[in-house]
Amino acid sequence: MDMPRGIGTFVVWDYVVFAGMLVISAAIGIYYAFAGGGQQTSKDFLMGGRRMTAVPVALSLTASFMSAVTVLGTPSEVYRFGAIFSIFAFTYFFVVVISAEVFLPVFYKLGITSTYEYLELRFNKCVRLCGTVLFIVQTILYTGIVIYAPALALNQVTGFDLWGAVVATGVVCTFYCTLGGLKAVIWTDVFQVGIMVAGFASVIIQAAVIQGGISTILNDAYNGGRLNFWNFNPNPLQRHTFWTIIIGGTFTWSSIYGVNQSQVQRYISCKSRFQAKLSLYINLVGLWAILTCSVFCGLALYSRYRDCDPWTAKKVSAPDQLMPYLVLDILQDYPGLPGLFVACAYSGTLSTVSSSINALAAVTVEDLIKPYFRSLSERSLSWISQGMSVVYGALCIGMAALASLMGALLQAALSIFGMVGGPLMGLFALGILVPFANSIGALVGLMAGFATSLWVGIGAQMYPPLPERTLPLQLDIQGCNSTYNETNLMTTTEMPFTTSVFQIHNVQRTPLMDNWYSLSYLYFSTVGTLVTLLVGILVSLPTGGRKQNLDPRYILTKEDFLSNFDIFKKKKHVLNYKSHPVEDGGTDNPAFNHIELNFSDQSGKSNGTRL
């Protein structure tokens, strides 16, 4: 095993591969803008006309969930904290089951476009508006970071042009979202999953070749204490243990999979409920594959740099840059492959950003435009949806520019995702699982949950937990020869990620900080969900929650679960079941035919959910 030479740089072929990925993505958008008569209605644009099948939707769910934060972040996480991260495999399983068996049946049988429509049907307009506004703010923040973070990491290691990359990804995304709608988003995601797997595979294969086989990599990892799978410490303050990952992780990711518009919109666009559930279960396989790849890349990183950690030796200025560093180190003799890896990281970004833009457009049209402008035709709604895609695309590029000024806020904004997602999930769970919850309980619960999770989240930003809570593992720099140490110093302003703008230094640590603020970041969402549920239940009972008469379609019933087994009972019947003529866009969903578009509204009024 030779000493790492000077690290390679980007050559023409790498740029060609990267540009090729952007061009193909844009081409898919142009194809769906004109295929099958184009985007006639807002339903075609936002829901793919509800004619999607399970496999592309499954791949698309996988892709949008795996942003570049995963491609660059997970391997460095494993490199620094060990392979305990792979316990997330169990978490993903629970998340998919919860999404498919609790949230999906209710959303699917109501035939809604925006998940926040549900909040109005079940509670009232005010709750719906709160949910919508929270979602829009959270998603724009998050998307800006998803565009900016990988651009920064790749720029500092490969010299890939920073703003060129940001603007190119933003523009291409907005372009195919606006032209092709949800169909284009789903099919570009399918293509991007392929690119991501190819990028990971090239790194893993080459690392195994250089290090002398997979067994060597695993041995190095074992000797370095990186195979720390079983940490059953029940203490909720430890950053990653078996329990924090299983419990906290399940809550955090369920809020993304179960109720986040960008994911729900996809599986509701399937043609039947069976296909929708199937897409979630197939997507589980995709999640496992990508998790395995990224954990393995982390172990390969350790095996390669166990004697000379580039982060401590100041060759890279942040842990996110370790992965691009490894790529340029081991793939420098193969022009085009580093470009493939950059394309892999950016595929993650593109798919996340495109799903966010499409979801934001859907929520804006359904929740903020349709209810107040009744007279608009389907055609003009379709144009408005496209216009909203452009607006949100521009906003997300603007957010990326802001993220560049806020450097150390990246971590902060990622925890905002948990802080907002938790209470929102609590709100939906309250509606779906608690028959006697009412709108007063829902609003008070949402406020309480939001306040609690903001308190713990912002506290953790100001007073970060001590190292014994996060347990970083040993990194060595003994093996570094100091000759090429000076030449390759990367001077950047980026600080290691524990520091934060708000951080308050050398302060007397109080019990509040050591216990409450040191809570594992995975539990932020859990706290938000549970507080929302609890307060919601306690407030609903005395304010007449028992007295409301509720439409059984708005809550999870035991029929919803038992209908899973219909497929075995009447196989023939399910396949050609159509409750109304096929020319209606081929949906199996009577709540969504053109004649009854305003149907949900009257039912909301007549069913006495108002108090």
Side-chain angles (χ1 to χ4, degrees):
M1 199 184 69
D2 58 336
M3 228 10 252
R5 294 163 296 174
I7 169 176
T9 51
F10 248 50
V11 295
V12 178
W13 284 111
D14 297 324
Y15 285 105
V16 171
V17 172
F18 180 66
M21 182 217 39
L22 291 179
V23 169
I24 294 177
S25 297
I28 295 178
I30 297 174
Y31 172 75
Y32 279 105
F34 302 114
Q39 310 290 329
Q40 300 300 324
T41 61
S42 67
K43 191 177 102 184
D44 273 345
F45 182 78
L46 299 172
M47 308 287 293
R50 292 195 154 224
R51 285 191 296 274
M52 303 303 298
T53 49
V55 176
V57 173
L59 288 172
S60 164
L61 284 167
T62 306
S64 58
F65 168 77
M66 296 292 164
S67 61
V69 177
T70 319
V71 177
L72 303 173
T74 312
S76 72
E77 161 77 35
V78 172
Y79 175 69
R80 294 174 55 227
F81 298 100
I84 190 161
F85 197 82
S86 51
I87 302 288
F88 269 104
F90 299 116
T91 302
Y92 294 156
F93 173 73
F94 292 128
V95 168
V96 165
V97 171
I98 290 172
S99 305
E101 304 304 333
V102 178
F103 294 110
L104 185 142
V106 178
F107 291 148
Y108 200 89
K109 68 185 169 187
L110 289 174
I112 49 190
T113 303
S114 150
T115 38
Y116 303 98
E117 271 174 78
Y118 172 77
L119 294 178
E120 182 179 343
L121 294 174
R122 175 71 176 80
F123 300 117
N124 60 18
K125 264 207 166 59
C126 180
V127 179
R128 174 180 182 174
L129 220 71
C130 289
T132 307
V133 170
L134 275 180
F135 169 76
I136 291 178
V137 171
Q138 167 199 21
T139 310
I140 292 178
L141 269 176
Y142 179 68
T143 312
I145 282 142
V146 164
I147 298 179
Y148 178 72
L152 181 76
L154 292 166
N155 159 267
Q156 294 188 333
V157 179
T158 60
F160 200 77
D161 185 61
L162 179 66
W163 289 106
V166 169
V167 175
T169 41
V171 169
V172 168
C173 251
T174 312
F175 178 75
Y176 69 74
C177 281
T178 307
L179 280 183
L182 188 73
K183 280 199 198 108
V185 172
I186 287 182
W187 283 105
T188 43
D189 282 354
V190 171
F191 162 66
Q192 284 153 5
V193 164
I195 296 274
M196 287 166 83
V197 171
F200 269 140
S202 60
V203 176
I204 291 174
I205 292 168
Q206 181 63 9
V209 169
I210 287 191
Q211 297 303 97
I214 288 185
S215 52
T216 323
I217 294 183
L218 291 176
N219 272 335
D220 290 343
Y222 179 74
N223 297 333
R226 288 300 186 269
L227 300 184
N228 51 351
F229 296 111
W230 308 117
N231 174 359
F232 286 106
N233 184 349
N235 185 351
L237 307 181
Q238 293 303 107
R239 183 164 172 275
H240 281 168
T241 68
F242 183 82
W243 302 114
T244 49
I245 291 181
I246 294 277
I247 299 169
T250 301
F251 275 93
T252 305
W253 289 121
S254 295
S255 68
I256 292 181
Y257 256 77
V259 301
N260 187 328
Q261 173 70 23
S262 28
Q263 302 289 52
V264 175
Q265 190 175 349
R266 286 220 177 71
Y267 54 68
I268 292 183
S269 71
C270 289
K271 50 181 160 191
S272 66
R273 205 182 77 178
F274 174 68
Q275 293 278 340
K277 285 195 171 176
L278 193 62
S279 74
L280 273 168
Y281 287 116
I282 297 175
N283 141 66
L284 180 59
V285 179
L287 291 184
W288 281 341
I290 296 221
L291 181 71
T292 311
C293 286
S294 49
V295 167
F296 210 87
C297 283
L299 298 178
L301 260 177
Y302 180 71
S303 170
R304 178 82 174 147
Y305 298 125
R306 62 182 190 282
D307 301 327
C308 174
D309 167 40
W311 189 42
T312 332
K314 297 279 190 294
K315 292 201 188 57
V316 296
S317 56
D320 291 345
Q321 300 168 13
L322 288 166
M323 199 59 198
Y325 185 84
L326 174 79
V327 168
L328 284 183
D329 179 16
I330 64 179
L331 293 174
Q332 53 189 350
D333 301 335
Y334 302 91
L337 282 186
L340 181 68
F341 179 76
V342 170
C344 160
Y346 271 106
S347 295
T349 302
L350 277 176
S351 56
T352 309
V353 173
S354 62
S355 57
S356 302
I357 291 176
N358 197 274
L360 285 166
V363 167
T364 311
V365 169
E366 288 293 324
D367 294 346
L368 304 178
I369 294 176
K370 249 189 193 167
Y372 305 107
F373 303 96
R374 285 292 158 80
S375 55
L376 290 171
S377 70
E378 273 298 316
R379 197 69 220 238
S380 53
L381 277 175
S382 177
W383 283 108
I384 292 174
S385 310
Q386 292 181 315
M388 292 317 304
S389 297
V390 175
V391 171
Y392 281 121
L395 266 176
C396 291
I397 298 179
M399 260 314 298
L402 271 180
S404 68
L405 303 174
M406 306 188 299
L409 279 186
L410 299 188
Q411 180 88 1
L414 286 179
S415 23
I416 287 177
F417 215 54
M419 291 182 232
V420 179
L424 270 181
M425 182 166 108
L427 185 61
F428 280 102
L430 195 65
I432 289 174
L433 302 174
V434 184
F436 53 80
N438 63 10
S439 47
I440 303 177
L443 271 175
V444 176
L446 181 64
M447 298 303 163
F450 196 51
T452 321
S453 58
L454 272 182
W455 176 31
V456 63
I458 290 174
Q461 284 299 321
M462 292 170 70
Y463 310 102
L466 302 168
E468 63 260 26
R469 292 279 171 243
T470 53
L471 299 176
L473 300 170
Q474 180 66 38
L475 297 168
D476 272 339
I477 50 170
Q478 269 106 45
C480 296
N481 51 357
S482 51
T483 47
Y484 74 126
N485 211 353
E486 286 85 16
T487 54
N488 215 341
L489 258 179
M490 293 219 144
T491 44
T492 46
T493 49
E494 192 69 272
M495 306 287 280
F497 81 116
T498 39
T499 53
S500 147
V501 180
F502 313 117
Q503 197 167 328
I504 297 173
H505 292 285
N506 1 340
V507 66
Q508 195 59 48
R509 288 189 78 86
T510 59
L512 180 72
M513 290 175 214
D514 279 343
N515 297 307
W516 180 232
Y517 292 161
S518 295
L519 199 65
S520 166
Y521 73 99
L522 286 171
Y523 279 128
F524 292 171
S525 176
T526 315
V527 167
T529 306
L530 294 180
V531 169
T532 305
L533 266 172
L534 221 81
V535 173
I537 290 172
L538 293 178
V539 173
S540 294
L541 284 174
T543 53
R546 306 292 288 271
K547 290 200 279 289
Q548 54 183 357
N549 48 347
L550 202 65
D551 185 330
R553 292 181 315 156
Y554 300 157
I555 51 181
L556 190 70
T557 53
K558 84 174 173 290
E559 285 75 47
D560 286 325
F561 178 69
L562 294 176
S563 64
N564 283 338
F565 308 109
D566 291 353
I567 216 91
F568 305 118
K569 272 186 278 189
K570 35 182 199 277
K571 193 80 174 180
K572 296 278 185 307
H573 186 61
V574 170
L575 293 176
N576 46 26
Y577 157 65
K578 285 272 178 290
S579 59
H580 50 86
V582 189
E583 64 263 19
D584 194 50
T587 89
D588 283 358
N589 207 324
F592 218 95
N593 55 25
H594 299 312
I595 312 119
E596 301 176 321
L597 267 174
N598 301 333
F599 158 78
S600 58
D601 210 78
Q602 279 97 34
S603 73
K605 289 203 179 64
S606 60
N607 284 326
T609 43
R610 301 273 190 296
L611 285 174

